[in-house]
Amino acid sequence: GAGVSQSPRYKVAKRGQDVALRCDPISGHVSLFWYQQALGQGPEFLTYFQNEAQLDKSGLPSDRFFAERPEGSVSTLKIQRTQQEDSAVYLCASSLGRYTDTQYFGPGTRLTVL
Amino acid sequence: AQTVTQSQPEMSVQEAETVTLSCTYDTSESDYYLFWYKQPPSRQMILVIRQEAYKQQNATENRFSVNFQKAAKSFSLKISDSQLGDAAMYFCAYLIGAGSYQLTFGKGTKLSVIP
């Protein structure tokens, strides 16, 4: 009965390094979302997958951000050449079917770029 | 731009008392969904309550209830018999039923519960 899990929970990167953040959704969940949460703010949408198809990536802030879900389960958010403004908590959520179903969130990955 | 406004950055309530958190939203869509999420200091976001815009009846979940005023675009959360475990950030959010996959959040209200 596991929920959404994310790894690592904390990541410290030097500016210019590439990072990869992993999300394991609830088993059987079709929809998967990534959000970015800056300190003291609400989460902001990054991208949405339905199975392996990335249907919306309009929230990705730059072409340095890339997400994939190749087999329709685990997803990876990759950030290339990290910048200080990328420091945030990255949240993953999944929902059972349609994107309008309730989203269940993971604990997040706190990324700090030095 | 479609927005969610939570006008109370911080609120406090005495244990066992009732508190209401405010939320207004701005959308021109008729088909949408509204949510309140709770985020304790451990950071995991938990759904508190969900309301479909087409439903007239206000949603309730145990001690949590909403006052959904569609015409006023208002969606407040009432917490009755407040408990220490209710202390958290509360986020109001909405999702349009068609044409967008984005769950839009407000900036949150930090709720403190005083013993």
Side-chain angles (χ1 to χ4, degrees):
Chain A
V4 178
S5 61
Q6 293 186 243
S7 61
R9 292 292 308 275
Y10 302 90
K11 177 71 179 177
V12 179
K14 291 183 179 178
R15 190 168 52 185
Q17 283 185 330
D18 298 349
V19 299
L21 312 179
R22 177 186 169 106
C23 172
D24 284 83
I26 295 172
S27 178
H29 277 200
V30 168
S31 294
L32 185 145
F33 306 79
W34 283 99
Y35 295 87
Q36 181 189 60
Q37 187 175 21
L39 189 64
Q41 302 293 318
E44 292 193 356
F45 171 85
L46 293 177
T47 187
Y48 165 66
F49 289 87
Q50 185 178 86
N51 295 306
E52 68 278 4
Q54 189 175 20
L55 298 188
D56 189 346
K57 54 182 181 179
S58 63
L60 296 176
S62 77
D63 58 9
R64 297 186 295 104
F65 287 70
F66 172 76
E68 60 183 4
R69 194 186 185 197
E71 297 178 359
S73 55
V74 171
S75 177
T76 304
L77 176 67
K78 297 179 179 178
I79 309 173
Q80 298 177 324
R81 304 181 304 281
T82 52
Q83 304 293 316
Q84 283 191 321
E85 61 262 28
D86 300 335
S87 295
V89 174
Y90 290 86
L91 298 172
C92 176
S94 69
S95 65
L96 180 60
R98 295 186 69 230
Y99 66 95
T100 52
D101 291 343
T102 295
Q103 295 181 30
Y104 297 90
F105 283 79
T109 294
R110 180 181 295 279
L111 173 65
T112 302
V113 181
L114 303 176
Chain B
Q2 321 221 45
T3 60
V4 178
T5 302
Q6 294 181 248
S7 59
Q8 307 149 316
E10 295 189 27
M11 294 277 287
S12 62
V13 61
Q14 291 283 145
E15 197 174 2
E17 296 296 310
T18 296
V19 65
T20 299
L21 308 184
S22 301
C23 172
T24 58
Y25 57 93
D26 182 18
T27 180
S28 56
E29 302 291 330
S30 58
D31 178 22
Y32 54 91
Y33 303 79
L34 296 163
F35 306 86
W36 279 97
Y37 277 92
K38 169 186 176 181
Q39 190 175 44
S42 65
R43 208 166 66 233
Q44 189 140 9
M45 196 87 71
I46 304 165
L47 177 70
V48 175
I49 203 163
R50 168 192 171 111
Q51 172 88 41
E52 286 81 2
Y54 63 85
K55 290 187 177 178
Q56 303 252 347
Q57 188 171 6
N58 288 327
T60 62
E61 286 289 343
N62 301 313
R63 297 182 295 107
F64 299 87
S65 61
V66 297
N67 183 5
F68 174 42
Q69 301 288 330
K70 191 169 184 178
K73 298 182 181 177
S74 170
F75 184 61
S76 60
L77 175 69
K78 185 171 84 171
I79 306 173
S80 303
D81 185 26
S82 297
Q83 300 175 0
L84 294 178
D86 295 335
M89 284 292 289
Y90 286 81
F91 292 97
C92 177
Y94 81 89
L95 178 67
I96 297 171
S100 173
Y101 303 106
Q102 303 189 16
L103 186 59
T104 301
F105 286 86
K107 292 189 175 181
T109 296
K110 183 178 180 181
L111 179 66
S112 301
V113 180
I114 303 165

